[in-house]
Amino acid sequence: MPDRLLSRIWRSRNAYFFICPFYLSFLVFSAFPILFSFYLSFRRWDGFGESVYAGLANYRLLLLDERFHQAIWNTIYMWLGHIFIAIVAAFLLAATLNIKDLPGKGLFRVAFYLPNVTGVVPMALAFTLLLDQQYGLVNYVLTHLGLPAIPWLTNIHWAKNAIIIFIFWRGLGWLMVVYLAGLQSIDPDLFEAALVDGAGPLARLRHITLPSLMPLIGFTFITSTIGSFRMFTEPQILTQGGPAGYSTTINQYLYQTAFAQSQMGYAAAISYALFAMIVLVSAAQYRLLRRQVEGY
Amino acid sequence: MRNSSHAWRRILITAAIAVISALAVLGVSAEEKQFNYWGWGDPTLKQYDLDTYKAAHKAECGDLTMTAYNIPNGENGVMTKLLTAWAAKAGLPDIVQQNAPTIVKLASTGVLEPLNDILRPFMSKLPKDLLDAVSYKGKIYAYPWRPNTMMLYYRKDIFDKYGIDPNKLDTWDNFIIAGEKLYKDSGGKVYLTYLPATNGNGQFLEAFLDGLKVGFIDNKGNILIGKDQRIAQAFNLWERMIKTHTAVVRSEWDAPWYASLSSGEYACMISAAWLDANLKQSAPQTKGLWRIMELPGWKKGQRTHCFQAGSPVLSVVSSSPYKQLAKDFIRDTFLNSDNLVKRAQWQKDHNQSVTLNLWQGAASNPIFEEPDEFYGGQKWFQLAMAYSKNGVNLPYFKEFTDVQNILNQELDKISAGLLTADEALKEAARTIELKIGTKVTL
């Protein structure tokens, strides 16, 4: 049997030769770091000297580390704070931009999608200018309307909300495009049949549009959740995780632990904790939305 | 036919692998003739230093290519790159610029080369605290080429407008009194100073602790956070500055911060020598409005003279094949009075702020005694050098930056009004004990 397998492999050697670059780079840049991180999570290492075996100390520290708990809370707050609003807003936007004879809809589609294709770093930098308490355009408008200036990026409550506003604005375009594609793929005969049966707009929405779109909504809900848990660039640029760690996400805390504090072992443990959280949340979502995601 | 095409394919693949390998070997060979200097900020001065040294030492340098690199993201970027290169044992520089608090950690893991041999003749004339801060087990591992001497930069126009006498800001208590008065007189529009929203490099806390002559640890390595009343005093001062509106909390190193250098949002800055270049570049329109003075102290007649931990220091990497050349470069560039004068002249000719030097051997040269119009004719250089004499510095240890990060986060909580100074200190002590312990190894 091994001879037959080996001879089959040998016969297909050219194919393996062509696909091996991907697998080699996967092994070097993905598989090895994943396995090495797991090994490191049981050790204490500052990146320079020898690592020392630490057993479960890093995982025990996760349970006691208040900053890590704060980071989890911040991440969940920012995830829940934007996701439902974003999905509803994107759906309404897609439905509006799907209207047959809407003038300028091409321009609107581009305008809403543009933030999604622009680099996140320059946009976040622009937002820091817009939201500055003393010099920002947003507060300039607010104060001219007789409203108080808001400490968007320097207040413990507003910092997270500022990040939510940014990720909502940036992510809206992508969700809109996905839902728009979904709306355009619904068989128009269904709507015609519903019209013939006397179904009004709300009934058509409830019985045709939403059920047809549910797999997409479920998919975007899960992928947006995963993206929210991995959030790093937005808080790093806007608030550097402050003030007082009140906008630090789990990924940011991982980065700070690894590269600012040189605690590689503990950072590896944080990464596995994050992985476990993402898997649990995604699995729970999939279970709840299974019917909708897989379709009727 | 098929066999010959297979043969050609094999020949082509073998030839490609051979060419790639040859290029890789050539690359490695080329690397051996490079002398690399990693740092952050404008590399032109560093390159001038290397070029000057090479021109004066042609025989030793031979055909060596000496290059200064500006590594992005400042000291953190340099540290990350150094860490990666050390782990890979490839691509390491010969000289690396770092911040003083990281030196003990790097030295303890064998990354750096001791510099005692070149510094010995000069040690009696260099601030002891600053050299101790970059020493490990009795050996000095870095040279603080540009000491970040701390000082108070104040806006004379704002002080005059609101009747603040700078000579009266001699103690932190008087500083707070002046701050309260300024806030009231300006109708809440102007603060005396600012405290950073996310206190990245801890320079303010350091200034307070240096004045109290206390660090994070005692000489046996016991962590003093939560145990020494002087640290509580420093935390309480931070809290008082916020509560009395002496200081506004704002972000640093972003566009709004640069704008605030000229806006008059605050009347003075607790800062260090590095701010000179930033002010001149980013707020040239405030020329003539700024002045400098010593930091206040905790008691009358005891002003604070200290160095900010962000002091960039130069070290020689232990794996460098040009260790002696690197050490000679440091000595000849930064401990030679004639070269320091030429360097200062080059900076002036290229519209750069003259760098403050640790070595005061050239201090009496006229180039360092010129009045600076930016500071209304004050002799900035002379004053900064005077403030550097007998300056104190917190003792550093391997876990210093970890402790500092924890303290900074607690200070942020005081700034945000979440915790009182005492609560923040208790929380800091608890977190430090959890993550680091109660004692460090010296």
Side-chain angles (χ1 to χ4, degrees), chain B residues 133-274:
Chain B
V134 292
S135 296
Y136 176 67
K137 289 196 178 351
K139 292 184 182 170
I140 305 169
Y141 284 89
Y143 178 69
W145 68 282
R146 195 196 76 197
N148 276 346
T149 307
M150 292 199 76
M151 57 192 84
L152 200 73
Y153 289 76
Y154 68 93
R155 285 278 298 265
K156 187 173 184 305
D157 56 323
I158 300 176
F159 271 32
D160 288 345
K161 184 177 175 184
Y162 293 100
I164 301 172
D165 180 357
N167 294 318
K168 291 213 169 117
L169 301 185
D170 52 348
T171 64
W172 291 117
D173 284 338
N174 287 341
F175 192 84
I176 299 264
I177 291 168
E180 282 179 299
K181 184 175 179 302
L182 174 61
Y183 185 75
K184 193 175 148 210
D185 292 348
S186 67
K189 288 199 174 75
V190 183
Y191 295 82
L192 185 56
T193 190
Y194 81 88
L195 293 174
T198 306
N199 190 24
N201 57 19
Q203 62 178 350
F204 294 84
L205 179 66
E206 270 182 88
F208 303 156
L209 294 177
D210 282 330
L212 290 163
K213 305 233 182 340
V214 67
F216 298 159
I217 55 168
D218 62 17
N219 54 12
K220 292 191 174 106
N222 296 308
I223 293 180
L224 298 174
I225 312 299
K227 295 182 183 108
D228 195 306
Q229 262 309 108
R230 290 172 290 178
I231 300 175
Q233 235 180 308
F235 266 57
N236 277 311
L237 177 61
W238 187 285
E239 187 181 25
R240 279 169 64 205
M241 283 201 176
I242 306 280
K243 282 194 163 153
T244 58
H245 304 290
T246 298
V248 64
V249 178
R250 72 139 30 256
S251 56
E252 280 185 316
W253 299 107
D254 52 15
W257 179 76
Y258 283 102
S260 73
L261 296 179
S262 52
S263 68
E265 182 189 334
Y266 38 82
C268 68
M269 295 172 74
I270 300 168
S271 193
W274 55 262

Side-chain angles (χ1 to χ4, degrees), chain B residues 62-73:
Chain B
D63 59 353
L64 201 57
T65 307
M66 301 177 87
T67 315
Y69 292 95
N70 168 29
I71 309 297
N73 297 323

Side-chain angles (χ1 to χ4, degrees), chain A residues 186-220:
Chain A
I186 300 174
D187 187 352
D189 293 342
L190 292 172
F191 290 106
E192 280 179 23
L195 269 168
V196 164
D197 288 343
L202 273 175
R204 290 200 299 272
L205 175 74
R206 207 177 134 216
H207 296 290
I208 301 174
T209 311
L210 280 177
S212 302
L213 225 45
M214 273 320 282
L216 272 177
I217 291 174
F219 167 75
T220 54

Side-chain angles (χ1 to χ4, degrees), chain A residues 7 18 33 38 43 45-46 48 72 82 89 95 121 128 158 190 219 223-227 232 286-288 293:
Chain A
S7 71
F18 278 106
F38 185 68
R43 303 187 78 82
W45 188 44
D46 63 3
F48 284 102
I72 294 175
H82 93 277
V121 171
T128 61
W158 282 105
L190 292 172
F219 167 75
T223 51
S224 295
T225 298
I226 294 171
F232 173 82
Y286 184 74
R287 209 175 154 75
L288 279 168
V293 169

